[in-house]
Amino acid sequence: MFEVLFLQFLNGLDKGSAYALIALGLTLVFGTLGVVNFAHGALFMFGAFCAVLFRQLLTLETVTLDPEKLSPWGAPVEIRQPLVQAWFGDVGAVLVNYSVPLSLLLSIPVMLIIGIVMERGIIKHFYKRPHAEQILVTFGLAIVFGEIIKAVFGPNPIPQPMPTELRGAADIGAWLGMQPNVITYPLWRLVYFLFALGVIGSVLAFLQFTTFGMVVRAGMADRETVGALGINIDRRFTIMFGIAAVVAGMAGVMYTPLLPPSYTMGMDFLVISFVVVVVGGMGSLPGAIAAGFLLGILQSFASMHQLKAFFPGIDQVIIYLVAVVVLLVLPRGLMGRRGVMEA
Amino acid sequence: MAGIMSRKDATLFIGFAAVVLLLPILAAPFGAAYPDLLQRFMIFGIFAIGFNILFGLTGYLSFGHAAFFGVGSYAAMWSFKLLSLNAIPAILFAVAIAGVFALVIGYLSLRRSGIYFSILTLAFAQMCYSLAYSVLTPITNGETGLRMIRADPRVLDRLFSEAPAGVPVPSLFGISLSGWNGFYFSALFLLATFFLAMRITNSPFGMMLKGIKSNQNRMNYTGFNTRPYALTAFVISGMLAGLAGSLLVVTDPLAGAERMQWTASGEVVLMTILGGVGTLVGPVIGAWLIKYFENIFSSFNDNVLSSFFGFLPDGAREAAVVVAGKFVGEGWHLSLGLLFVLIVVFLPGGIMEGVRRISSAIRRRGGGRHATARGELSPSAAE
């Protein structure tokens, strides 16, 4: 029984990581700019499509006709070769193999630009407007972003292969001194979890230990005083919006081998990650991270068939059920501050 | 009429009724004058008016109203299956069930406000949606959706007659409700809903709701217990959503879970915003525009476009068709999203605010008077 529970716990970690990363970005935006960003799921989706785009660029092929051979029905045979492989040989093959982690490099500048343009272009004008209008305008943006992706990449999910070396499973049970081959866990999920921990750690460290982070935290606590001290807090907040977009984008890139990206994924994750943020408590970074992992793991437990025998359909509704219970019992979520976002 | 409403309201109502009832003629130049589409105009008009009673008047932004719409659809369908093909019991049943759902969900959700309220309603609606898709399949028929078949029991009908041959069609005491009959049937309900919304807006109850919207704390300090009022508004609005859902089953006899998905809840928010939050006519206009464009835009294809751009030289025409093709047909949601962003950025009061701005500009130029109280022209959305 312990093994089963432990396995479900592990299975919840990767989803929990994705929730935590998206919720972290959402909370950063809310904490700094005070804006409720319903387009944040779309940023996650943009990240995922950075990986798709990167792979499509890498696998651009030259098609030449083989002068000697003919196919059985007499048509000339096509030879397809990725350009990268033609130019760089084996290095090119490695590049293609590792396209998903490598597209992080593409996603960082792209997401930073998207984030800053979005903030300067639209979000800026909504600081002083009511939260309902912020929700509405970003909801509209989310629709637009989803449709743009659909127009460019088509409506179907595009599977992204993970690097061949990371396809197997890790025998975590054996590492922990238990029986081998009882608790195995797909390597990529483990990579994703460690990656998420790394990103969360670096964002928190950045806020905690750099001067920039200190100014931002001061601005979150009292924006006007920081502004009065002669610091251009708006510019720093814009950069924070960019960073939140980068976090969402990187989360999306690395998630592509687990879930083939499609234009609906932004909306799918948005609903859940808003639930995560609200359960964690609006504006609380530790709350968002904790709630992300908590909900991911609970979702995983709920999909156990032993539990489903008692409560049919529990796996479908567990997240919303938890959200309802938490919100009704703890009005400000797990770690929310008093007076934030209460009408 | 003077006894129940002021002269101005009576004029508005009569004008609205005239437009609605003459819609088959008025919509003809736009290529929208067929009963199926116009019936949707009526149904989503009801849905949007109901939503506006909660969002526009009371200031609570619900992201889960599609749940009541879907529940209404299922309830009406079961009434058609089990009781009778008559639409009246189906509608009563649907409104009652939607009301019970709204009472429970509203009672719980209204304990919080602001975004917490939005998320709670969203969570409840998503629960309804997921359950309808998975565990409740015996009731909802899952992904396939629920439809009527000839072998359904229909107890009340069987008391009087044998099961007729052919596909069962909802009726009103023997009059079939397909085609134009269905449209006028729904139109009557839209007019009734509009009348109700008008009465609520002008009543002391409506004033109370507006008070809750502008400052709930002050209402509490004055000694009013605001929650029962907000809950009443929530239930009324949920029942109207159920009514709309049941009318949709009359038109399109297939009840599916996707009507409860949160995108459907988002759609009614869009309708209300596009037309004008907190106004009487606005939500209806928003609903009509969205349903119209959904229907017309999504039927555009490359051939239509290329004949539209026929005046351009060949290369430019192809480019124009490719670019425009992204905004119509399959991609009409893109135009919808863009329109929505533009409306919220530049015209937060929706189309009704635009109309008001234009008319006041004309009046100012014509009469040389100063603009009257600009403050009341900008309806602020819920905080």
Side-chain angles (χ1 to χ4, degrees), chain B residues 301-328:
Chain B
N301 55 23
D302 286 359
N303 291 332
V304 180
L305 282 177
S306 100
S307 65
F308 179 75
F309 289 112
F311 60 93
L312 292 170
D314 271 356
R317 185 173 65 217
E318 275 153 31
V321 168
V322 169
V323 172
K326 299 287 181 204
F327 291 90
V328 297

PDB file of all heavy atoms in Angstrom, chain B residues 301-328:
ATOM      1  N   ASN B 301     -16.264  31.385 -46.540  1.00  0.00           N
ATOM      2  CA  ASN B 301     -15.109  30.569 -46.922  1.00  0.00           C
ATOM      3  C   ASN B 301     -14.326  31.303 -47.990  1.00  0.00           C
ATOM      4  O   ASN B 301     -14.639  32.456 -48.343  1.00  0.00           O
ATOM      5  CB  ASN B 301     -15.548  29.191 -47.389  1.00  0.00           C
ATOM      6  CG  ASN B 301     -16.561  29.285 -48.496  1.00  0.00           C
ATOM      7  OD1 ASN B 301     -16.622  30.296 -49.193  1.00  0.00           O
ATOM      8  ND2 ASN B 301     -17.358  28.255 -48.660  1.00  0.00           N
ATOM      9  N   ASP B 302     -13.297  30.668 -48.513  1.00  0.00           N
ATOM     10  CA  ASP B 302     -12.405  31.362 -49.448  1.00  0.00           C
ATOM     11  C   ASP B 302     -13.129  31.835 -50.707  1.00  0.00           C
ATOM     12  O   ASP B 302     -12.814  32.890 -51.245  1.00  0.00           O
ATOM     13  CB  ASP B 302     -11.237  30.445 -49.820  1.00  0.00           C
ATOM     14  CG  ASP B 302     -10.239  30.333 -48.683  1.00  0.00           C
ATOM     15  OD1 ASP B 302     -10.482  30.992 -47.652  1.00  0.00           O
ATOM     16  OD2 ASP B 302      -9.251  29.597 -48.817  1.00  0.00           O
ATOM     17  N   ASN B 303     -14.106  31.061 -51.162  1.00  0.00           N
ATOM     18  CA  ASN B 303     -14.811  31.474 -52.375  1.00  0.00           C
ATOM     19  C   ASN B 303     -15.563  32.770 -52.158  1.00  0.00           C
ATOM     20  O   ASN B 303     -15.519  33.688 -52.981  1.00  0.00           O
ATOM     21  CB  ASN B 303     -15.802  30.381 -52.800  1.00  0.00           C
ATOM     22  CG  ASN B 303     -15.059  29.161 -53.286  1.00  0.00           C
ATOM     23  OD1 ASN B 303     -13.942  29.289 -53.775  1.00  0.00           O
ATOM     24  ND2 ASN B 303     -15.667  28.001 -53.134  1.00  0.00           N
ATOM     25  N   VAL B 304     -16.281  32.827 -51.007  1.00  0.00           N
ATOM     26  CA  VAL B 304     -17.028  34.041 -50.698  1.00  0.00           C
ATOM     27  C   VAL B 304     -16.068  35.219 -50.631  1.00  0.00           C
ATOM     28  O   VAL B 304     -16.314  36.291 -51.193  1.00  0.00           O
ATOM     29  CB  VAL B 304     -17.771  33.864 -49.353  1.00  0.00           C
ATOM     30  CG1 VAL B 304     -18.537  35.118 -49.025  1.00  0.00           C
ATOM     31  CG2 VAL B 304     -18.672  32.657 -49.412  1.00  0.00           C
ATOM     32  N   LEU B 305     -14.939  34.998 -49.934  1.00  0.00           N
ATOM     33  CA  LEU B 305     -13.970  36.070 -49.767  1.00  0.00           C
ATOM     34  C   LEU B 305     -13.409  36.519 -51.107  1.00  0.00           C
ATOM     35  O   LEU B 305     -13.282  37.711 -51.371  1.00  0.00           O
ATOM     36  CB  LEU B 305     -12.821  35.600 -48.880  1.00  0.00           C
ATOM     37  CG  LEU B 305     -13.101  35.577 -47.397  1.00  0.00           C
ATOM     38  CD1 LEU B 305     -11.895  35.033 -46.675  1.00  0.00           C
ATOM     39  CD2 LEU B 305     -13.432  36.960 -46.909  1.00  0.00           C
ATOM     40  N   SER B 306     -13.101  35.551 -51.969  1.00  0.00           N
ATOM     41  CA  SER B 306     -12.433  35.964 -53.186  1.00  0.00           C
ATOM     42  C   SER B 306     -13.417  36.702 -54.092  1.00  0.00           C
ATOM     43  O   SER B 306     -13.026  37.607 -54.821  1.00  0.00           O
ATOM     44  CB  SER B 306     -11.752  34.777 -53.851  1.00  0.00           C
ATOM     45  OG  SER B 306     -12.474  34.270 -54.878  1.00  0.00           O
ATOM     46  N   SER B 307     -14.720  36.405 -54.000  1.00  0.00           N
ATOM     47  CA  SER B 307     -15.660  37.212 -54.772  1.00  0.00           C
ATOM     48  C   SER B 307     -15.840  38.584 -54.119  1.00  0.00           C
ATOM     49  O   SER B 307     -16.059  39.580 -54.792  1.00  0.00           O
ATOM     50  CB  SER B 307     -17.004  36.500 -54.903  1.00  0.00           C
ATOM     51  OG  SER B 307     -17.598  36.371 -53.647  1.00  0.00           O
ATOM     52  N   PHE B 308     -15.674  38.627 -52.765  1.00  0.00           N
ATOM     53  CA  PHE B 308     -15.779  39.907 -52.074  1.00  0.00           C
ATOM     54  C   PHE B 308     -14.638  40.834 -52.474  1.00  0.00           C
ATOM     55  O   PHE B 308     -14.824  42.028 -52.671  1.00  0.00           O
ATOM     56  CB  PHE B 308     -15.772  39.666 -50.562  1.00  0.00           C
ATOM     57  CG  PHE B 308     -15.862  40.915 -49.737  1.00  0.00           C
ATOM     58  CD1 PHE B 308     -17.071  41.581 -49.612  1.00  0.00           C
ATOM     59  CD2 PHE B 308     -14.752  41.422 -49.096  1.00  0.00           C
ATOM     60  CE1 PHE B 308     -17.168  42.730 -48.859  1.00  0.00           C
ATOM     61  CE2 PHE B 308     -14.838  42.572 -48.340  1.00  0.00           C
ATOM     62  CZ  PHE B 308     -16.050  43.231 -48.224  1.00  0.00           C
ATOM     63  N   PHE B 309     -13.435  40.254 -52.596  1.00  0.00           N
ATOM     64  CA  PHE B 309     -12.274  41.065 -52.961  1.00  0.00           C
ATOM     65  C   PHE B 309     -12.067  41.078 -54.476  1.00  0.00           C
ATOM     66  O   PHE B 309     -10.965  41.321 -54.959  1.00  0.00           O
ATOM     67  CB  PHE B 309     -11.010  40.544 -52.274  1.00  0.00           C
ATOM     68  CG  PHE B 309     -10.982  40.809 -50.806  1.00  0.00           C
ATOM     69  CD1 PHE B 309     -11.076  39.779 -49.889  1.00  0.00           C
ATOM     70  CD2 PHE B 309     -10.877  42.104 -50.332  1.00  0.00           C
ATOM     71  CE1 PHE B 309     -11.064  40.023 -48.530  1.00  0.00           C
ATOM     72  CE2 PHE B 309     -10.853  42.362 -48.972  1.00  0.00           C
ATOM     73  CZ  PHE B 309     -10.947  41.326 -48.077  1.00  0.00           C
ATOM     74  N   GLY B 310     -13.120  40.790 -55.241  1.00  0.00           N
ATOM     75  CA  GLY B 310     -12.996  40.638 -56.686  1.00  0.00           C
ATOM     76  C   GLY B 310     -12.430  41.847 -57.394  1.00  0.00           C
ATOM     77  O   GLY B 310     -11.852  41.731 -58.478  1.00  0.00           O
ATOM     78  N   PHE B 311     -12.564  43.036 -56.774  1.00  0.00           N
ATOM     79  CA  PHE B 311     -12.119  44.249 -57.452  1.00  0.00           C
ATOM     80  C   PHE B 311     -10.604  44.400 -57.444  1.00  0.00           C
ATOM     81  O   PHE B 311     -10.048  45.203 -58.161  1.00  0.00           O
ATOM     82  CB  PHE B 311     -12.750  45.473 -56.786  1.00  0.00           C
ATOM     83  CG  PHE B 311     -12.399  45.608 -55.338  1.00  0.00           C
ATOM     84  CD1 PHE B 311     -11.307  46.389 -54.955  1.00  0.00           C
ATOM     85  CD2 PHE B 311     -13.149  44.965 -54.361  1.00  0.00           C
ATOM     86  CE1 PHE B 311     -10.985  46.508 -53.630  1.00  0.00           C
ATOM     87  CE2 PHE B 311     -12.815  45.083 -53.030  1.00  0.00           C
ATOM     88  CZ  PHE B 311     -11.730  45.858 -52.665  1.00  0.00           C
ATOM     89  N   LEU B 312      -9.896  43.604 -56.608  1.00  0.00           N
ATOM     90  CA  LEU B 312      -8.453  43.745 -56.501  1.00  0.00           C
ATOM     91  C   LEU B 312      -7.752  42.971 -57.622  1.00  0.00           C
ATOM     92  O   LEU B 312      -8.320  42.011 -58.155  1.00  0.00           O
ATOM     93  CB  LEU B 312      -7.971  43.205 -55.149  1.00  0.00           C
ATOM     94  CG  LEU B 312      -8.396  43.995 -53.928  1.00  0.00           C
ATOM     95  CD1 LEU B 312      -8.055  43.229 -52.672  1.00  0.00           C
ATOM     96  CD2 LEU B 312      -7.703  45.350 -53.903  1.00  0.00           C
ATOM     97  N   PRO B 313      -6.530  43.367 -57.978  1.00  0.00           N
ATOM     98  CA  PRO B 313      -5.764  42.553 -58.935  1.00  0.00           C
ATOM     99  C   PRO B 313      -5.429  41.196 -58.339  1.00  0.00           C
ATOM    100  O   PRO B 313      -5.446  41.021 -57.119  1.00  0.00           O
ATOM    101  CB  PRO B 313      -4.498  43.384 -59.179  1.00  0.00           C
ATOM    102  CG  PRO B 313      -4.430  44.346 -58.040  1.00  0.00           C
ATOM    103  CD  PRO B 313      -5.834  44.603 -57.616  1.00  0.00           C
ATOM    104  N   ASP B 314      -5.078  40.248 -59.193  1.00  0.00           N
ATOM    105  CA  ASP B 314      -4.977  38.851 -58.775  1.00  0.00           C
ATOM    106  C   ASP B 314      -4.130  38.615 -57.529  1.00  0.00           C
ATOM    107  O   ASP B 314      -4.589  38.013 -56.563  1.00  0.00           O
ATOM    108  CB  ASP B 314      -4.416  38.011 -59.933  1.00  0.00           C
ATOM    109  CG  ASP B 314      -5.550  37.511 -60.811  1.00  0.00           C
ATOM    110  OD1 ASP B 314      -6.705  37.784 -60.416  1.00  0.00           O
ATOM    111  OD2 ASP B 314      -5.283  36.879 -61.830  1.00  0.00           O
ATOM    112  N   GLY B 315      -2.875  39.079 -57.574  1.00  0.00           N
ATOM    113  CA  GLY B 315      -1.974  38.783 -56.456  1.00  0.00           C
ATOM    114  C   GLY B 315      -2.497  39.372 -55.157  1.00  0.00           C
ATOM    115  O   GLY B 315      -2.566  38.683 -54.128  1.00  0.00           O
ATOM    116  N   ALA B 316      -2.907  40.628 -55.211  1.00  0.00           N
ATOM    117  CA  ALA B 316      -3.414  41.295 -54.023  1.00  0.00           C
ATOM    118  C   ALA B 316      -4.664  40.590 -53.526  1.00  0.00           C
ATOM    119  O   ALA B 316      -4.885  40.466 -52.315  1.00  0.00           O
ATOM    120  CB  ALA B 316      -3.726  42.757 -54.321  1.00  0.00           C
ATOM    121  N   ARG B 317      -5.471  40.086 -54.460  1.00  0.00           N
ATOM    122  CA  ARG B 317      -6.699  39.422 -54.033  1.00  0.00           C
ATOM    123  C   ARG B 317      -6.378  38.161 -53.235  1.00  0.00           C
ATOM    124  O   ARG B 317      -6.946  37.926 -52.175  1.00  0.00           O
ATOM    125  CB  ARG B 317      -7.559  39.064 -55.235  1.00  0.00           C
ATOM    126  CG  ARG B 317      -8.906  38.490 -54.801  1.00  0.00           C
ATOM    127  CD  ARG B 317      -9.827  38.294 -55.972  1.00  0.00           C
ATOM    128  NE  ARG B 317      -9.304  37.290 -56.872  1.00  0.00           N
ATOM    129  CZ  ARG B 317      -9.415  37.356 -58.199  1.00  0.00           C
ATOM    130  NH1 ARG B 317      -9.988  38.387 -58.759  1.00  0.00           N
ATOM    131  NH2 ARG B 317      -8.930  36.393 -58.947  1.00  0.00           N
ATOM    132  N   GLU B 318      -5.409  37.391 -53.753  1.00  0.00           N
ATOM    133  CA  GLU B 318      -5.070  36.172 -53.018  1.00  0.00           C
ATOM    134  C   GLU B 318      -4.551  36.494 -51.623  1.00  0.00           C
ATOM    135  O   GLU B 318      -4.940  35.863 -50.645  1.00  0.00           O
ATOM    136  CB  GLU B 318      -4.027  35.355 -53.794  1.00  0.00           C
ATOM    137  CG  GLU B 318      -4.685  34.462 -54.832  1.00  0.00           C
ATOM    138  CD  GLU B 318      -3.760  34.163 -56.005  1.00  0.00           C
ATOM    139  OE1 GLU B 318      -2.538  34.110 -55.785  1.00  0.00           O
ATOM    140  OE2 GLU B 318      -4.271  34.009 -57.126  1.00  0.00           O
ATOM    141  N   ALA B 319      -3.680  37.509 -51.553  1.00  0.00           N
ATOM    142  CA  ALA B 319      -3.154  37.898 -50.240  1.00  0.00           C
ATOM    143  C   ALA B 319      -4.292  38.333 -49.322  1.00  0.00           C
ATOM    144  O   ALA B 319      -4.371  37.915 -48.168  1.00  0.00           O
ATOM    145  CB  ALA B 319      -2.146  39.031 -50.403  1.00  0.00           C
ATOM    146  N   ALA B 320      -5.215  39.135 -49.858  1.00  0.00           N
ATOM    147  CA  ALA B 320      -6.331  39.618 -49.048  1.00  0.00           C
ATOM    148  C   ALA B 320      -7.178  38.447 -48.574  1.00  0.00           C
ATOM    149  O   ALA B 320      -7.621  38.415 -47.419  1.00  0.00           O
ATOM    150  CB  ALA B 320      -7.178  40.601 -49.858  1.00  0.00           C
ATOM    151  N   VAL B 321      -7.376  37.467 -49.451  1.00  0.00           N
ATOM    152  CA  VAL B 321      -8.193  36.312 -49.062  1.00  0.00           C
ATOM    153  C   VAL B 321      -7.507  35.533 -47.947  1.00  0.00           C
ATOM    154  O   VAL B 321      -8.141  35.136 -46.968  1.00  0.00           O
ATOM    155  CB  VAL B 321      -8.455  35.399 -50.285  1.00  0.00           C
ATOM    156  CG1 VAL B 321      -9.026  34.072 -49.836  1.00  0.00           C
ATOM    157  CG2 VAL B 321      -9.398  36.078 -51.243  1.00  0.00           C
ATOM    158  N   VAL B 322      -6.178  35.361 -48.066  1.00  0.00           N
ATOM    159  CA  VAL B 322      -5.470  34.600 -47.034  1.00  0.00           C
ATOM    160  C   VAL B 322      -5.550  35.326 -45.693  1.00  0.00           C
ATOM    161  O   VAL B 322      -5.877  34.733 -44.666  1.00  0.00           O
ATOM    162  CB  VAL B 322      -3.996  34.380 -47.449  1.00  0.00           C
ATOM    163  CG1 VAL B 322      -3.207  33.834 -46.271  1.00  0.00           C
ATOM    164  CG2 VAL B 322      -3.928  33.424 -48.623  1.00  0.00           C
ATOM    165  N   VAL B 323      -5.285  36.644 -45.722  1.00  0.00           N
ATOM    166  CA  VAL B 323      -5.308  37.394 -44.470  1.00  0.00           C
ATOM    167  C   VAL B 323      -6.713  37.422 -43.882  1.00  0.00           C
ATOM    168  O   VAL B 323      -6.924  37.090 -42.721  1.00  0.00           O
ATOM    169  CB  VAL B 323      -4.786  38.833 -44.693  1.00  0.00           C
ATOM    170  CG1 VAL B 323      -4.998  39.662 -43.444  1.00  0.00           C
ATOM    171  CG2 VAL B 323      -3.323  38.770 -45.057  1.00  0.00           C
ATOM    172  N   ALA B 324      -7.684  37.768 -44.711  1.00  0.00           N
ATOM    173  CA  ALA B 324      -9.054  37.868 -44.201  1.00  0.00           C
ATOM    174  C   ALA B 324      -9.565  36.501 -43.783  1.00  0.00           C
ATOM    175  O   ALA B 324     -10.361  36.390 -42.849  1.00  0.00           O
ATOM    176  CB  ALA B 324      -9.969  38.477 -45.259  1.00  0.00           C
ATOM    177  N   GLY B 325      -9.071  35.463 -44.446  1.00  0.00           N
ATOM    178  CA  GLY B 325      -9.520  34.113 -44.121  1.00  0.00           C
ATOM    179  C   GLY B 325      -9.199  33.711 -42.701  1.00  0.00           C
ATOM    180  O   GLY B 325      -9.863  32.859 -42.115  1.00  0.00           O
ATOM    181  N   LYS B 326      -8.146  34.343 -42.132  1.00  0.00           N
ATOM    182  CA  LYS B 326      -7.798  34.033 -40.751  1.00  0.00           C
ATOM    183  C   LYS B 326      -8.828  34.586 -39.778  1.00  0.00           C
ATOM    184  O   LYS B 326      -8.898  34.170 -38.629  1.00  0.00           O
ATOM    185  CB  LYS B 326      -6.424  34.616 -40.400  1.00  0.00           C
ATOM    186  CG  LYS B 326      -5.291  34.069 -41.237  1.00  0.00           C
ATOM    187  CD  LYS B 326      -4.953  32.651 -40.841  1.00  0.00           C
ATOM    188  CE  LYS B 326      -3.792  32.110 -41.657  1.00  0.00           C
ATOM    189  NZ  LYS B 326      -3.809  30.654 -41.728  1.00  0.00           N
ATOM    190  N   PHE B 327      -9.605  35.576 -40.227  1.00  0.00           N
ATOM    191  CA  PHE B 327     -10.532  36.240 -39.305  1.00  0.00           C
ATOM    192  C   PHE B 327     -11.963  35.735 -39.444  1.00  0.00           C
ATOM    193  O   PHE B 327     -12.804  36.031 -38.627  1.00  0.00           O
ATOM    194  CB  PHE B 327     -10.518  37.752 -39.546  1.00  0.00           C
ATOM    195  CG  PHE B 327      -9.235  38.394 -39.131  1.00  0.00           C
ATOM    196  CD1 PHE B 327      -8.188  38.519 -40.017  1.00  0.00           C
ATOM    197  CD2 PHE B 327      -9.072  38.846 -37.837  1.00  0.00           C
ATOM    198  CE1 PHE B 327      -7.003  39.092 -39.628  1.00  0.00           C
ATOM    199  CE2 PHE B 327      -7.892  39.420 -37.441  1.00  0.00           C
ATOM    200  CZ  PHE B 327      -6.851  39.548 -38.333  1.00  0.00           C
ATOM    201  N   VAL B 328     -12.265  35.014 -40.498  1.00  0.00           N
ATOM    202  CA  VAL B 328     -13.627  34.508 -40.666  1.00  0.00           C
ATOM    203  C   VAL B 328     -13.572  32.993 -40.732  1.00  0.00           C
ATOM    204  O   VAL B 328     -12.519  32.390 -40.530  1.00  0.00           O
ATOM    205  CB  VAL B 328     -14.289  35.085 -41.931  1.00  0.00           C
ATOM    206  CG1 VAL B 328     -14.421  36.579 -41.818  1.00  0.00           C
ATOM    207  CG2 VAL B 328     -13.494  34.698 -43.153  1.00  0.00           C
TER     208      VAL B 328
END
